[in-house]
Amino acid sequence: MSVDVNAPAFRRQRWAARTSLGAAALAVLLPLAYGGLGGVLLLAAGLAGAAVTAAAVWWTLTRRGPERWLAAGLAVVVPALVLVLFVVTLGWVLVLSPVLWSVAVWSGRYALRSTGTRPKRMKEHRARSVRRPFLIMNPRSGGGKVERFGLREKAERLGARVVLLDPEKNQDVTALAQAAVADGADLLGVAGGDGTQALVAAVAAEHDLPFLVVSAGTRNHFALDLGLDRTDPAACLDALTDGVELRVDLGFVADHPFVNNASFGAYAAVVQSPAYRDDKIGTTLELLPDLLTRQRGPRLTARIDAVTIDGPQAVLVSNNAYRTGDPVGLGRRERLDSGLLGILGVRVDSAAEAAALLLDPDPEGLTVLSAREVVVSADQPEIEVGVDGEALVLPAPVHCRIAPGALRVHVPRKRPGVPTAQPRLNWRRLRKLAAPAGRG
């Protein structure tokens, strides 16, 4: 496929690439030139400070008593001292250099947007009309969003049958959904947290019924990645009358469904504690030293196709991969229909390895993969698992899999949508784009 190098769009792309490369070079060289030898030493001091800070954070998480507080103090003081050193040495250059770097990033991304590297969006299908929608609503989710936004009243005006969960009872939402299907429901929906969403979604997928997500939970990660409006849960109900259908994947850990992720290791062990709900920070700080240093909990092994992660402190298996290269969209999923699990494994055994996670562009202790299946085993008969925020204990080994396109989700036609991920800066590609005609 030929490219018209004289086309206005290509010229803009080329000059954006040149601007990005030039601004990036100035952002790096200006402090070095202004500071001379001091600028070089300052750069070394900045890298050393980052390494010491990462190590101090590791010591804070793995120590108790006075050692923890000393490490925490170091994690605060070192960055502050480095910042003061930069301000005193560079002065006005410290302001100009980040501005130049911002220009480099913006221009580089502008140049790369038209290179065909942007991910495909989820395909929308025509949503068939429904006659007997059934919705489960948790009145306690999100601090009472069901009542605050009048969700029950609006859903019933649109013809839905609504069941409010009783906060005083431990109700089986799977049984409620199955009973609704037996009674003729042709759509299932949930206004509640991601854990409840997953249970009802599995019933909808089993019977090939459309599923409706109402963003009435606290964090609403699944709703966010579907492009729904988290600030107005009532707008999600517009899908009942003016919606489109998305075919999305559903994850399973053993036989338990998840719409977001299943976590193994340190976090999964922390959420098992009865004290976690009332004191998240205190419980986490109390348990992490033993978990991160492997004095407590099983030794995990994760097998992903031909890759084995031996002894990670944490493994996160997600329903489709999370963004990792875009700081603004970190933790978001670009799409939910790739047919692949996202796998993130972390193994850190020392302060030096903690520093490498921050400074090394490809740290040995971090594994990022995608696959259809993951098997997590342990040296103990049971493994603690956090499934969409819910604490479970499952027999080892635990098989995780994804069911591609298993879920028919109805979403409003008019919704905020999923922001497009910015292209990752690829300096080699930018150099090719910036090259004179005939050389690129």
Side-chain angles (χ1 to χ4, degrees), residues 45-352:
L47 293 175
V52 171
T53 301
V57 171
W58 169 256
W59 291 323
T60 301
L61 297 176
T62 57
R63 300 289 193 273
R64 290 190 176 92
E67 289 183 345
R68 165 175 282 171
W69 297 113
L70 288 173
L74 193 64
V76 174
V77 170
V78 169
L81 289 177
V82 171
L83 180 60
V84 170
L85 185 60
F86 270 71
V87 171
V88 171
T89 305
L90 297 179
W92 60 271
V93 175
L94 186 63
V95 177
L96 182 57
S97 185
V99 172
L100 287 169
W101 186 253
S102 298
V103 172
V105 171
W106 187 89
S107 301
R109 286 178 169 171
Y110 176 84
L112 293 171
R113 284 192 192 111
S114 57
T115 60
T117 59
R118 296 173 66 179
K120 297 180 180 179
R121 305 300 296 269
M122 288 189 288
K123 184 178 180 180
E124 296 181 356
H125 304 269
R126 183 176 65 86
R128 298 178 181 177
S129 59
V130 295
R131 298 181 178 180
R132 302 191 65 182
F134 173 80
L135 301 182
I136 295 174
M137 296 189 177
N138 185 348
R140 298 181 64 178
S141 286
K145 287 183 179 179
V146 169
E147 180 179 354
R148 191 159 69 249
F149 288 91
L151 300 181
R152 179 179 185 175
E153 292 76 12
K154 179 175 181 178
E156 290 179 339
R157 286 197 303 270
L158 294 174
R161 177 190 166 204
V162 178
V163 170
L164 283 181
L165 297 179
D166 188 343
E168 304 301 324
K169 297 180 180 179
N170 186 19
Q171 294 173 275
D172 187 339
V173 294
T174 299
L176 289 174
Q178 292 284 13
V181 173
D183 194 38
D186 56 1
L187 176 144
L188 301 177
V190 175
D194 291 323
T196 308
Q197 299 277 1
L199 294 174
V200 180
V203 177
E206 177 187 352
H207 296 280
D208 194 29
L209 294 178
F211 181 64
L212 178 68
V213 176
V214 182
S215 56
T218 302
R219 288 174 291 273
N220 299 294
H221 293 299
F222 189 47
L224 178 68
D225 294 331
L226 286 169
L228 299 176
D229 189 347
R230 295 191 301 170
T231 64
D232 183 12
C236 300
L237 294 170
D238 293 341
L240 292 173
T241 55
D242 184 25
V244 294
E245 183 174 295
L246 305 177
R247 296 302 298 251
V248 306
D249 308 331
L250 188 62
F252 288 88
V253 50
D255 295 326
H256 300 271
F258 63 91
V259 293
N260 289 320
N261 58 60
S263 60
F264 302 82
Y267 172 76
V270 168
V271 298
Q272 302 285 334
S273 172
Y276 178 74
R277 299 299 177 188
D278 297 325
D279 184 11
K280 290 182 173 60
I281 296 177
T283 304
T284 302
L285 291 176
E286 175 61 28
L287 297 179
L288 277 183
D290 292 338
L291 293 169
L292 295 180
T293 57
R294 298 191 177 86
Q295 298 178 50
R296 173 181 171 180
R299 181 182 178 87
L300 301 177
T301 301
R303 292 182 175 84
I304 308 100
D305 295 332
V307 178
T308 298
I309 309 175
D310 185 34
Q313 282 99 336
V315 176
L316 184 71
V317 180
S318 58
N319 176 17
N320 287 256
Y322 289 109
R323 295 179 188 172
T324 57
D326 180 13
V328 176
L330 197 66
R332 297 287 301 272
R333 289 168 290 182
E334 189 66 35
R335 55 190 306 144
L336 295 168
D337 60 350
S338 71
L340 295 172
L341 297 167
I343 301 99
L344 179 66
V346 179
R347 174 174 177 167
V348 181
D349 290 316
S350 67

Side-chain angles (χ1 to χ4, degrees), residues 390-406:
E390 303 296 325
L392 299 176
V393 178
L394 301 176
V398 177
H399 292 254
C400 304
R401 62 181 177 86
I402 195 165

Side-chain angles (χ1 to χ4, degrees), residues 25-36:
L26 283 174
V28 174
L29 295 176
L30 187 60
L32 297 178
Y34 182 82

Side-chain angles (χ1 to χ4, degrees), residues 31-32 35-45:
L32 297 178
L37 178 60
V40 177
L41 295 176
L42 192 63
L43 177 61

